[in-house]
Amino acid sequence: MAAAAALEAVAPTGALWGLVHDFVMGQQEGPADQVAADVKSGSYTVLQVVEALGSSLESPEPRTRARGIQLLSQVLLQCQSLLLEKEVVHLILFYENRLKDHHLVIPSVLQGLRALSLCVALPPGLAVSVLKAIFQEVHVQSLPQMDRHTVYSIITNFMQTREEGPFVEELFEVTSCYFPIDFTPPPNDPHGIQREDLILSLRAVLASTPRFAEFLLPLLIEKVDSEILSAKLDSLQTLNACCAVYGQKELKDFLPSLWASIRREVFQTASERVEADGLAALHSLTACLSRSVLRADAEDFLDSFLSNILQDCRHHLCEPDMKLVWPSAKLLQAAAGASARACDHITSNVLPLLLEQFHKHSQSNQRRTILEMILGFLKLHQKWSYEDKDERPLNGFKDQLCSLVFMALTDPSTQLQLVGIRTLAVLGAQPDLLSSGDLELAVGHLYRLSFLEEDSQSCCCSSALCPGRVAALEASGALAALYPVAFSSHLVPKLAEELCRGELDLTRGDEPTKCSRRLRCLQALSAASTHPSIVKETLPVLLQHLCQMNKGNMVAGTSEVIAVCQSLQQVAEKCQRDPESCWYFHQTALPCLLALAVQASMPEKEHSVLRKVLLEDEVLAAMVSVIGTATTHLSPDLAAQSVARIVPLFLDGNISFLPENSFPCRFQPFQDGSSGQRRLVALLMGFVCSLPRNVEIPQLNQLMRELVELSCCPSCPSSSTAAAKCFAGLLNKLPAGQQLDEFLQLAVDRVEAGLSPGPCRSQAFTLLLWVTKALVLRYHPLSSCLTDRLMGLLSDPELGPAAADGFSLLMSDCTDVLTRAGHAEVRIMFRQRFFTDNVPALVQGFHAASRDVKPNYLKGLSHVLNRLPQPVLLPELPTLLSLLLEALSCSDCVVQLSTLSCLQPLLLEAPQVMSLHVDTLVTKFLNLSSSPSMAVRIAALQCMHALTRLPTPVLLPYKPQVIRALAKPLDDKKRLVRKEAVSARGEWFLLGSPGS
Amino acid sequence: MVGGGGGVGSGLLENANPLIYERSGERPVTAGEEDEQVPDSIDAREIFDLIRSINDPEHPLTLEELNVVEQVRVQVSDPESTVAVAFTPTIPHCSMATLIGLSIKVKLLRSLPQRFKMDVHITPGTHASEHAVNKQLADKERVAAALENTHLLEVVNQCLSARS
């Protein structure tokens, strides 16, 4: 108040004084801009502003001084370009002096200095003086982040605005003394300074100018050579940053030392980060040398640098058993990846050497190492495009590379074959490298590897693919996209013929080897369908095969038909990228599949085994997946064309668009149709639930009513479930409005009617579950009401267990309907939201429930918790933990398993909270480790392992008891259980023991 | 029990640049192993999986990577409850041989059911003091005494700790 009175006393009238007063004493922000504008317009000078501020700058109250300086600094920030050199000198002296002031004042002082650092009129020498003053008076590292930023801006401004600088070395010294940053923020640091912030800001300053190079590079080399890991990393990363602004001039004197340090680090380090940063620095160095513009007479240091690298590394490449072979290859590849020139230089030296080495060594594993290195160098060539065909450096090596790759492809070692396949794919990706003769040979090899070669015995699982075949199939796909003609003429006909032969074999009866030959044939066909022109040949072959299975009297099993569907689905996936192929697939495959299915659903006169097979749940599911994949990527207008045919097929029995449509009776899945016909509603579901949201569905009202009707029909569980899912899938995509509300009301009425005692309670429950899911996913207001209804059913003696399992469905992702890929409305946080909205009620329900239905609540809760991201779960832990501990005593295996898998991450993440319950946890986990269920035993032992993360003093009292108890599962009859017991017991032994 | 022990942690390595062997992958899980009903007997691969990831006392490598232990040198009979493991020191004068043997022994003691009788020895003809080392490893009392020694226990525990 005294200061205010003093100010009042001397304040003359006048606009400036008023503004100053309003800003300083009135704490208004506006006047600052006004004053700045007036200074700019020439109404008064900066000197007058200083005079007007006079008394507040001398006020004994630091806040008033801070406010005064803040005004001046803000004015300067806007008007620094108007300042005369003399004014700048005075202002700098003033500000440097103010750096000694109270800490409240410092931020404003720094702002003023930042304004002055931007001045063109800054006289030489003052920059160093300012920086010295800052570093002398202020402890920059403990400033809040914003002020640190100001300091670094001041430094950076000096670097940018001062072209001529006699003070580079001083500037370097005042900044580099902080390098490498070894500051660790204190716990509970109020400023929130992170070590990483400091490292990055300091690096920005150090790497801001090439002028520092002569001082900085020796420092970096020294720090790379030091013993401290963080210093090594920081130096390598800073070097990397410097290369962005440096040129040959700055680097040339230091290249030998830089290379020596990087080489040593990459050769010797045990740390992957040092290796990665070393390689990145070498990459940047080479890129920098490649980029520099040279005078005509200047020496190009790139060549000598690369020659140095080659000289130090190439001899290691000739020793494929030794441990320096890979570091050497990585170093060479890091340099070669920097520019086309570097790539040429290094590969033209290394490739002949490696080709020679390949032939010199005869062992497969050595050859594999060499080929892997070759592959690495070839991959680098993909980065550069060469305009002139003759200039492409690989052309000269093409024949040798091809013969070497083909040699690898015929080697007995699968490992070598694998590398050979990958190399072939990379060679093929080089434009115009391979001749048509090479391609024909390559296709022949791929045919053999993906189809003819019997799976070796090491692949124990018959259905899973062995890695060699997977690689061959992938390479076929990659190369077929580039060379469709070669594959159309040399691969597809062979496979088609093979499939026909297989059909003949099938009619004669099945042999297992033939069966897997057909499977491989199907996989090879779908893998090569990566080009639209190939799809036009493979899709008819696959569909034809399916039709033949139906026509002939082949003994086609479920797995046969599913295999064809899986191939079709893979082809459909590959077509998604190209709209034209997508439509081709859709309008070719869908009518064919629907015709086969409709045919199969007709009452039987003649015997066809396939007919029954096509109606099996698994086969229908496989077909649904083909239909869905072929539909999701359709453009809305094409989708509309298709929906206008398929919906009438199901609602009106309009079969006119099916390729074969003479059926013995009508197709009426929703009316009286047979149960076989009703099952095909699954196919309708696969189609309509994959359509883009803006495609209008004809006869929607009728369709929805039929679906609700069918969903509650008690005759066939799988068709009523398909109808419920289809209804839910459509509901989810409908825009809010009257129509949606009507459909919802329809469903709710049907559910309520069905849930009352009667024959279709379980169907009504399924409809409720799917409708709830559809609404939960899109945050529909009615979803909470339906969830409550579902929760109420947990205490239903008949439906309780199903309701508990229903929570798993609500929380998980479906594959056929309500998927994001199928354009459903799925909000990303729906699980978290469901958790927040419903878990309190579940917990309450558990406490209120009678003993016999309590497990249902626990199970429901387990399902919800299981699917929840840990960060959401952790804060809820204290309230839920007692319930989870209780759930451990529940006799239901599902509850036990899900509770254990909930507790395991919590033990790792929140050991302090869990320590309070150590006694219960040890007892329950040990009990469950002898559960009859293997999965529970495994999970319990994993929890015993995770327990070792609790603070050791808490655990030590239990150590002898636990070690004794864990001896028992060491002799479990299941190997997977023993494995967990071994690792848990091993960790318990280490607790509190020296050396652990 | 272990003479010298000077090579641990400091000074020059006895074998500074050893050959490194590839690590075998995780054992693939078979359908039988996932079947609750089928018992899986303890076999050579299972024993090998117990010991292959033991760290070498002087290199940042595992015994498998140094080829000190190999699956073919593991003999096991689940019904008879016997295990025999032969290990091969990287060089014939390796002063770490006893320590490596002790680590293998301790790992097996901690990991196998008590019913097993275990024999850990040096692959015949691969170490200068083969006989002496084998004798020490076979002596229960000396093994127990060795584990009372804090320094030794510390080194053994380091060998058995999971690599971070």
Side-chain angles (χ1 to χ4, degrees):
Chain A
M1 285 314 286
L7 194 72
E8 210 65 54
V10 294
T13 48
L16 176 59
W17 292 78
L19 288 168
V20 168
H21 180 258
D22 287 347
F23 184 91
V24 177
M25 306 311 297
Q27 298 290 322
Q28 299 170 19
E29 301 303 322
D33 284 335
Q34 184 58 49
V35 174
D38 291 347
V39 172
K40 262 193 252 176
S41 68
S43 303
Y44 21 83
T45 62
V46 172
L47 183 63
Q48 283 170 313
V49 177
V50 177
E51 281 168 5
L53 280 166
S55 62
S56 49
L57 295 182
E58 286 158 12
S59 158
E61 178 56 45
R63 283 177 213 284
T64 309
R65 293 201 301 278
R67 200 65 188 158
I69 293 179
Q70 190 187 348
L71 177 65
L72 181 59
S73 298
Q74 286 187 13
V75 171
L76 291 179
L77 274 168
Q78 294 189 38
C79 307
Q80 34 86 6
S81 59
L82 303 174
L83 292 175
L84 303 172
E85 184 174 317
K86 212 177 92 189
E87 288 172 318
V88 175
V89 175
H90 283 294
L91 284 165
I92 284 192
L93 283 177
F94 166 74
Y95 272 108
E96 281 181 4
N97 190 261
R98 288 298 94 202
L99 284 168
K100 299 186 170 78
D101 204 337
H102 193 272
H103 70 89
L104 284 172
V105 183
I106 298 297
S108 304
V109 175
L110 290 173
Q111 286 301 334
L113 286 170
R114 182 163 76 88
L116 292 166
S117 73
L118 291 162
C119 279
V120 191
L122 187 76
L126 276 193
V128 179
S129 150
V130 167
L131 290 172
K132 282 193 167 150
I134 292 177
F135 288 113
Q136 198 176 332
E137 303 298 344
V138 182
H139 190 238
V140 179
Q141 281 151 306
S142 49
L143 289 175
Q145 189 175 354
M146 218 173 73
D147 300 327
R148 267 184 295 137
H149 180 252
T150 312
V151 172
Y152 288 119
S153 308
I154 295 170
I155 299 172
T156 337
N157 290 340
F158 284 148
M159 319 293 305
Q160 282 162 357
T161 52
R162 313 271 80 203
E163 279 307 313
E164 298 301 317
F167 46 82
V168 170
E169 186 165 1
E170 288 105 317
L171 253 187
F172 177 74
E173 270 174 16
V174 292
T175 45
S176 68
C177 60
Y178 292 103
F179 183 85
I181 298 274
D182 57 357
F183 166 79
T184 315
N188 311 321
D189 170 26
H191 305 303
I193 303 172
Q194 294 296 316
R195 183 190 165 98
E196 197 61 18
D197 297 339
L198 295 176
I199 290 178
L200 291 179
S201 340
L202 182 61
R203 184 174 303 153
V205 173
L206 291 176
S208 63
T209 169
R211 291 167 167 282
F212 278 167
E214 58 176 315
F215 313 111
L216 179 58
L217 289 171
L219 177 67
L220 293 180
I221 293 170
E222 183 193 316
K223 297 297 174 191
V224 172
D225 297 354
S226 80
E227 293 290 317
I228 304 157
L229 181 70
S230 62
K232 279 184 199 294
L233 292 170
D234 197 359
S235 307
L236 288 168
Q237 288 162 8
T238 305
L239 175 60
N240 198 342
C242 286
C243 288
V245 293
Y246 286 7
Q248 293 212 353
K249 183 164 80 77
E250 286 76 25
L251 291 172
K252 65 176 198 259
D253 294 333
F254 301 98
L255 286 172
S257 320
L258 285 169
W259 162 240
S261 295
I262 292 176
R263 182 191 58 202
R264 188 199 55 236
E265 290 310 312
V266 173
F267 275 175
Q268 291 184 1
T269 187
S271 150
E272 280 178 23
R273 285 168 62 207
V274 171
E275 184 189 90
D277 286 344
L279 293 172
L282 180 61
H283 180 95
S284 308
L285 273 175
T286 319
C288 177
L289 292 176
S290 310
R291 194 175 53 222
S292 298
V293 180
L294 298 180
R295 284 204 317 272
D297 55 341
E299 188 192 343
D300 186 356
F301 289 93
L302 177 65
D303 285 334
S304 56
F305 184 61
L306 294 175
S307 302
N308 250 335
I309 300 179
L310 277 162
Q311 194 190 342
D312 290 342
C313 291
R314 54 179 289 154
H315 59 279
H316 293 302
L317 300 184
C318 305
E319 295 154 2
D321 277 337
M322 299 309 291
K323 64 174 179 180
L324 287 181
V325 64
W326 274 115
S328 304
K330 284 179 188 167
L331 284 165
L332 286 166
Q333 286 165 3
S339 69
R341 224 149 37 101
C343 192
D344 288 357
H345 186 118
I346 289 181
T347 39
S348 63
N349 275 279
V350 168
L351 267 189
L353 178 75
L354 289 175
L355 287 165
E356 182 193 308
Q357 287 297 314
F358 185 91
H359 295 288
K360 232 183 218 168
H361 289 89
S362 54
Q363 285 182 29
S364 295
N365 57 355
Q366 293 167 329
R367 287 188 154 190
R368 173 185 148 205
T369 306
I370 298 167
L371 188 55
E372 267 181 349
M373 284 190 275
I374 295 180
L375 176 61
F377 287 105
L378 293 180
K379 275 187 184 159
L380 293 175
H381 277 271
Q382 290 178 315
K383 282 171 72 175
W384 321 111
S385 59
Y386 295 90
E387 296 297 318
D388 187 356
K389 194 180 166 190
D390 299 327
E391 265 181 31
R392 289 182 189 135
L394 288 183
N395 283 1
F397 298 108
K398 191 266 284 179
D399 289 331
Q400 287 187 72
L401 284 168
C402 279
S403 74
L404 188 140
V405 164
F406 294 145
M407 208 183 273
L409 293 181
T410 46
D411 196 272
S413 152
T414 331
Q415 297 300 323
L416 182 52
Q417 278 180 19
L418 267 177
V419 188
I421 294 168
R422 277 157 51 208
T423 314
L424 176 62
V426 171
L427 282 178
Q430 299 280 333
D432 301 319
L433 184 69
L434 300 185
S435 68
S436 59
D438 299 328
L439 282 168
E440 192 179 335
L441 273 174
V443 172
H445 280 292
L446 290 174
Y447 171 71
R448 176 177 56 78
L449 291 168
S450 60
F451 176 64
L452 287 183
E453 207 96 312
E454 295 291 329
D455 288 352
S456 62
Q457 288 183 335
S458 62
C459 306
C460 38
C461 328
S462 56
S463 57
L465 296 167
C466 70
R469 249 161 31 74
V470 173
L473 291 172
E474 276 170 9
S476 291
L479 291 175
L482 299 168
Y483 309 99
V485 180
F487 281 80
S488 292
S489 41
H490 301 299
L491 184 73
V492 178
K494 276 192 201 169
L495 291 170
E497 197 183 312
E498 188 62 41
L499 210 54
C500 279
R501 200 176 306 144
E503 282 157 12
L504 291 177
D505 290 334
L506 253 185
T507 55
R508 281 188 232 114
D510 223 347
E511 303 165 46
T513 56
K514 287 286 182 326
C515 171
S516 74
R517 266 176 92 95
R518 272 199 305 280
L519 189 64
R520 291 204 299 267
C521 196
L522 291 170
Q523 284 164 346
L525 275 170
S526 56
S529 303
T530 46
H531 191 275
S533 72
I534 300 182
V535 173
K536 294 217 159 105
E537 299 183 34
T538 52
L539 179 59
V541 170
L542 289 169
L543 291 174
Q544 184 65 22
H545 183 58
L546 203 56
C547 294
Q548 286 301 323
M549 288 170 118
N550 190 29
K551 274 187 186 143
N553 44 0
M554 274 190 278
V555 191
T558 314
S559 62
E560 287 278 324
V561 183
I562 291 176
V564 183
C565 288
Q566 280 167 347
S567 282
L568 283 169
Q569 204 240 335
Q570 279 159 17
V571 178
E573 250 167 46
K574 290 179 175 124
C575 288
Q576 287 181 339
R577 285 167 235 151
D578 174 40
E580 212 173 299
S581 287
C582 190
W583 179 234
Y584 168 75
F585 187 98
H586 185 87
Q587 64 168 357
T588 312
L590 259 66
C592 176
L593 292 175
L594 288 170
L596 282 171
V598 170
Q599 173 84 48
S601 72
M602 292 294 154
E604 286 183 52
K605 282 186 187 148
E606 48 205 291
H607 269 292
S608 166
V609 182
L610 183 71
R611 299 204 165 168
K612 281 187 200 140
V613 167
L614 275 180
L615 298 179
E616 281 178 22
D617 285 343
E618 283 171 285
V619 177
L620 281 174
M623 286 169 71
V624 164
S625 142
V626 178
I627 292 174
T629 315
T631 305
T632 51
H633 283 59
L634 285 183
S635 69
D637 49 327
L638 293 175
Q641 280 186 39
S642 190
V643 79
R645 291 189 292 218
I646 292 176
V647 171
L649 167 70
F650 280 86
L651 286 181
D652 313 328
N654 184 345
I655 52 172
S656 56
F657 79 103
L658 299 181
E660 289 181 46
N661 51 15
S662 62
F663 301 119
C665 57
R666 292 202 65 188
F667 179 60
Q668 294 174 311
F670 286 116
Q671 278 93 47
D672 54 346
S674 63
S675 77
Q677 292 194 1
R678 279 202 294 274
R679 297 178 76 91
L680 300 195
V681 170
L683 302 184
L684 175 67
M685 169 197 89
F687 172 70
V688 291
C689 292
S690 307
L691 289 168
R693 243 182 269 178
N694 52 359
V695 175
E696 198 173 322
I697 292 166
Q699 299 170 272
L700 181 63
N701 200 15
Q702 189 196 344
L703 179 62
M704 294 299 261
R705 283 171 200 285
E706 298 283 14
L707 286 169
V708 167
E709 218 35 59
L710 180 59
S711 73
C712 287
C713 156
S715 66
C716 162
S718 67
S719 43
S720 57
T721 303
K725 285 163 83 172
C726 190
F727 182 80
L730 290 170
L731 208 58
N732 172 273
K733 291 188 202 174
L734 279 181
Q738 198 196 343
Q739 197 183 27
L740 176 65
D741 296 341
E742 279 172 26
F743 291 143
L744 276 173
Q745 194 54 50
L746 179 73
V748 169
D749 291 347
R750 203 75 182 81
V751 166
E752 287 308 332
L755 282 178
S756 55
C760 44
R761 290 195 83 208
S762 116
Q763 281 78 4
F765 163 75
T766 308
L767 180 63
L768 169 65
L769 186 59
W770 282 100
V771 170
T772 310
K773 180 160 176 87
L775 297 190
V776 164
L777 290 180
R778 64 182 274 180
Y779 294 179
H780 190 281
L782 195 63
S783 64
S784 59
C785 188
L786 295 180
T787 314
D788 289 346
R789 186 76 182 90
L790 206 58
M791 227 180 282
L793 290 174
L794 285 171
S795 51
D796 185 294
E798 188 186 3
L799 293 174
D805 284 332
F807 281 86
S808 158
L809 185 108
L810 288 183
M811 298 300 280
S812 55
D813 292 319
C814 302
T815 53
D816 46 3
V817 293
L818 295 171
T819 62
R820 280 205 183 88
H823 311 286
E825 184 166 358
V826 182
R827 309 290 285 265
I828 21 176
M829 307 288 273
F830 82 91
R831 290 190 183 88
Q832 285 89 321
R833 188 169 163 147
F834 188 85
F835 172 83
T836 325
D837 290 351
N838 297 300
V839 162
L842 269 173
V843 174
Q844 209 182 348
F846 168 80
H847 290 302
S850 66
R851 184 166 263 285
D852 48 336
V853 292
K854 268 188 197 289
N856 296 340
Y857 285 87
L858 282 178
K859 203 167 179 179
L861 184 68
S862 305
H863 287 311
V864 178
L865 298 183
N866 244 353
R867 294 285 178 159
L868 214 62
Q870 266 186 41
V872 185
L873 193 52
L874 283 176
E876 307 297 327
L877 179 68
T879 47
L880 290 176
L881 192 58
S882 63
L883 199 72
L884 286 172
L885 294 176
E886 199 160 341
L888 281 177
S889 314
C890 175
S891 63
D892 185 315
C893 272
V894 175
V895 176
Q896 288 170 353
L897 194 55
S898 114
T899 310
L900 288 169
S901 51
C902 247
L903 288 171
Q904 199 250 5
L906 294 176
L907 287 165
L908 305 178
E909 299 289 328
Q912 298 296 341
V913 185
M914 301 299 270
S915 299
L916 305 172
H917 306 275
V918 62
D919 198 64
T920 320
L921 291 170
V922 168
T923 319
K924 304 269 181 189
F925 291 159
L926 286 177
N927 275 342
L928 290 174
S929 71
S930 55
S931 151
S933 149
M934 170 167 90
V936 172
R937 297 204 295 280
I938 290 176
L941 289 167
Q942 281 168 343
C943 284
M944 280 310 294
H945 190 163
L947 264 182
T948 59
R949 293 290 192 85
L950 266 44
T952 308
V954 177
L955 298 172
L956 280 179
Y958 299 90
K959 183 173 169 179
Q961 169 201 350
V962 169
I963 285 179
R964 235 177 301 123
L966 287 179
K968 193 177 151 238
L970 290 179
D971 213 0
D972 197 279
K973 70 174 175 181
K974 297 305 297 174
R975 185 170 295 130
L976 297 174
V977 179
R978 296 198 291 266
K979 193 177 153 204
E980 298 302 335
V982 165
S983 57
R985 194 165 191 252
E987 284 304 310
W988 275 88
F989 262 109
L990 294 178
L991 281 179
S993 188
S996 54
Chain B
M1 153 165 170
V2 178
V8 182
S10 63
L12 288 174
L13 303 181
E14 285 180 357
N15 184 2
N17 197 7
L19 271 176
I20 302 175
Y21 294 78
E22 195 182 21
R23 286 198 296 269
S24 40
E26 286 283 300
R27 178 179 192 154
V29 177
T30 64
E33 283 174 356
E34 282 174 340
D35 185 336
E36 299 254 1
Q37 306 310 320
V38 186
D40 315 310
S41 65
I42 297 179
D43 60 10
R45 172 67 199 249
E46 189 170 337
I47 303 292
F48 180 61
D49 279 338
L50 293 175
I51 56 177
R52 69 190 178 94
S53 52
I54 296 177
N55 301 319
D56 183 82
E58 56 169 20
H59 295 287
L61 295 165
T62 63
L63 296 188
E64 178 184 26
E65 287 168 307
L66 294 168
N67 218 33
V68 171
V69 294
E70 294 163 277
Q71 192 176 330
V72 291
R73 303 197 189 283
V74 173
Q75 311 293 329
V76 60
S77 163
D78 194 355
E80 292 167 30
S81 302
T82 56
V83 172
V85 173
F87 67 99
T88 316
T90 51
I91 47 171
H93 295 280
C94 180
S95 69
M96 296 290 129
T98 323
L99 191 54
I100 293 172
L102 187 63
S103 299
I104 298 174
K105 185 117 194 179
V106 171
K107 177 74 189 186
L108 294 179
L109 281 169
R110 291 179 183 178
S111 310
L112 283 177
Q114 278 166 337
R115 63 186 164 91
F116 272 86
K117 181 173 162 22
M118 46 199 81
D119 165 31
V120 176
H121 60 270
I122 290 179
T123 312
T126 61
H127 196 268
S129 342
E130 178 188 330
H131 181 65
V133 174
N134 287 346
K135 204 172 147 190
Q136 292 196 63
L137 288 174
D139 188 332
K140 265 190 197 163
E141 279 175 15
R142 293 178 84 158
V143 170
L147 294 179
E148 298 286 311
N149 176 327
T150 316
H151 172 67
L152 263 178
L153 184 61
E154 182 180 339
V155 181
V156 168
N157 279 338
Q158 274 163 2
C159 292
L160 300 186
S161 295
R163 243 193 298 180
S164 49

